[in-house]
Amino acid sequence: MDAVVLASYIKEIRTIKKIEWTKDEDEEESLEVSQFSYPEYPAVIEGLFNYLDQQSFYDVNYLDNMEKIQEKDLSLFTKEEVKSYLTSLKREERYGDGVIAEAIESGLFLEALVRLEEILQKEKIEKEETKYDKK
């Protein structure tokens, strides 16, 4: 995963403060079943999750792992814990519209991405130092 690519997503996501929801155009009080509203995420959110999928950045054991980190401060997450958190958001969104919207609006989504960016930058520096140490 590239820290530069992630940084470009973060830059765009920083501008998102609120997620809009669809509205039923024919919304009237009736006994008929109507379509429920759902969040309309900006393209950058879908783009980010597609990028994470391409990087195989998901955690198949996210449920177990999320239990272990429930009380942990997001700023202290490891790369694997960020992976668990982001996987959890994506999976929960599938069964409950608005989970990602809530994380975005609360600032937790951005905080997780910033933490991931810090980790990736640190990994890059360590990799470069190791490369120079071998010379």
Side-chain angles (χ1 to χ4, degrees):
M1 179 173 293
D2 188 344
V4 174
V5 173
L6 183 60
S8 69
Y9 282 111
I10 290 172
K11 183 178 179 181
E12 283 188 66
I13 290 169
R14 283 186 191 281
T15 66
I16 303 169
K17 302 298 179 212
K18 184 156 178 53
I19 300 297
E20 298 298 321
W21 287 67
T22 62
K23 293 186 174 78
D24 190 351
E25 306 259 334
D26 301 321
E27 193 172 317
E28 294 179 20
E29 289 191 37
S30 73
L31 297 176
E32 291 181 33
V33 175
S34 65
Q35 178 182 353
F36 293 106
S37 63
Y38 54 89
E40 294 182 322
Y41 293 109
V44 67
I45 301 300
E46 185 176 337
L48 172 65
F49 278 107
N50 287 337
Y51 176 70
L52 295 175
D53 287 345
Q54 290 169 0
Q55 303 300 308
S56 298
F57 196 79
Y58 51 85
D59 178 10
V60 294
N61 295 316
Y62 74 94
L63 285 174
D64 293 334
N65 294 332
M66 285 303 295
E67 281 185 28
K68 296 173 189 171
I69 60 174
Q70 263 184 334
E71 302 298 319
K72 189 172 183 179
D73 189 304
L74 228 161
S75 66
L76 302 174
F77 276 17
T78 64
K79 185 177 180 179
E80 293 302 313
E81 290 167 340
V82 173
K83 185 186 295 188
S84 297
Y85 175 72
L86 294 174
T87 302
S88 174
L89 286 180
K90 186 174 180 185
R91 298 299 300 155
E92 288 179 34
E93 180 75 23
R94 181 179 173 130
Y95 299 104
D97 290 336
V99 173
I100 295 171
E102 185 177 319
I104 290 169
E105 292 172 3
S106 71
L108 292 174
F109 187 70
L110 182 60
E111 187 178 347
L113 296 177
V114 168
R115 177 63 182 144
L116 179 57
E117 181 184 30
E118 290 170 356
I119 293 167
L120 293 175
Q121 288 174 343
K122 184 177 179 184
E123 285 178 353
K124 183 178 178 181
I125 291 168
E126 289 171 355
K127 190 175 183 179
E128 288 174 4
E129 287 175 352
T130 303
K131 186 171 110 177
Y132 288 116
D133 288 345
K134 289 182 180 180
K135 290 184 177 182

